[in-house]
């Protein structure tokens, strides 16, 4: 009866030690899985950040092109405005000269 109790105690100890080893293995696997999940989430967040950064950079490039086009158009319009002002000034000067000439001719006719 003593041998039987001794071997049962040894079996229980072996089972307990086996269970403890298995629990330790499960715990290690769980830690490894947690680390892998964390790494995957970090990689996904980084990938999302990189995608957003590229999208913002593309939008910024589009805005810069639109700004440059608007600046070119403004310069063209400014040059056209200056040309028209000069033309108008020249026309007013010519009109004033023509008016003076007409007045001089009328005065000459009156004198005769």
């Amino acid at each position: 009866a003593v041998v039987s109790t001794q071997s049962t105690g040894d079996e229980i100890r072996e089972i307990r030690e086996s269970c403890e080893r298995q629990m330790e293995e499960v715990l290690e696997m769980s830690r490894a899985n947690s680390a892998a999940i964390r790494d995957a989430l970090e990689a996904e967040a980084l990938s999302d950040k990189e995608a957003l950064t590229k999208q913002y950079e593309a939008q910024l490039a589009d805005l810069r092109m639109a700004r440059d086009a608007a600046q070119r158009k403004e310069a063209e319009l400014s040059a056209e405005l200056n040309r028209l002002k000069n033309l108008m000034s020249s026309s007013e000067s010519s009109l004033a000269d023509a008016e003076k000439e007409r007045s001089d001719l009328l005065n000459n006719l009156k004198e005769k």
Side-chain angles (χ1 to χ4, degrees):
V2 174
V3 174
S4 168
T5 305
Q6 180 72 30
S7 73
T8 304
D10 290 343
E11 289 175 8
I12 292 173
R13 191 177 322 106
E14 286 176 18
I15 292 172
R16 184 178 47 209
E17 289 173 358
S18 174
C19 286
E20 287 174 357
R21 281 192 304 273
Q22 288 176 354
M23 291 277 288
E24 200 55 45
E25 289 172 8
V26 168
L27 185 59
E28 283 300 316
M29 286 176 35
S30 176
R31 286 181 185 139
N33 286 341
S34 294
I37 290 169
R38 185 182 59 250
D39 292 347
L41 289 173
E42 287 174 359
E44 184 178 352
L46 182 60
S47 175
D48 289 348
K49 182 179 175 185
E50 288 172 352
L52 282 174
T53 301
K54 286 180 182 177
Q55 181 182 358
Y56 290 145
E57 287 172 350
Q59 288 174 345
L60 183 59
D62 290 345
L63 290 172
R64 284 181 176 148
M65 286 178 18
R67 179 204 59 202
D68 293 346
Q71 287 175 338
R72 282 191 300 276
K73 188 67 175 174
E74 179 189 16
E76 291 170 9
L77 291 173
S78 179
E80 180 67 9
L81 179 63
N82 288 334
R83 186 186 72 77
L84 291 172
K85 282 181 180 178
N86 290 337
L87 181 63
M88 196 167 157
S89 176
S90 174
S91 295
E92 288 173 351
S93 177
S94 295
L95 183 61
D97 290 345
E99 184 62 33
K100 184 178 181 332
E101 192 175 323
R102 183 184 75 80
S103 177
D104 289 347
L105 285 173
L106 280 174
N107 287 337
N108 284 342
L109 285 175
K110 286 180 183 177
E111 290 174 4
K112 287 185 180 180

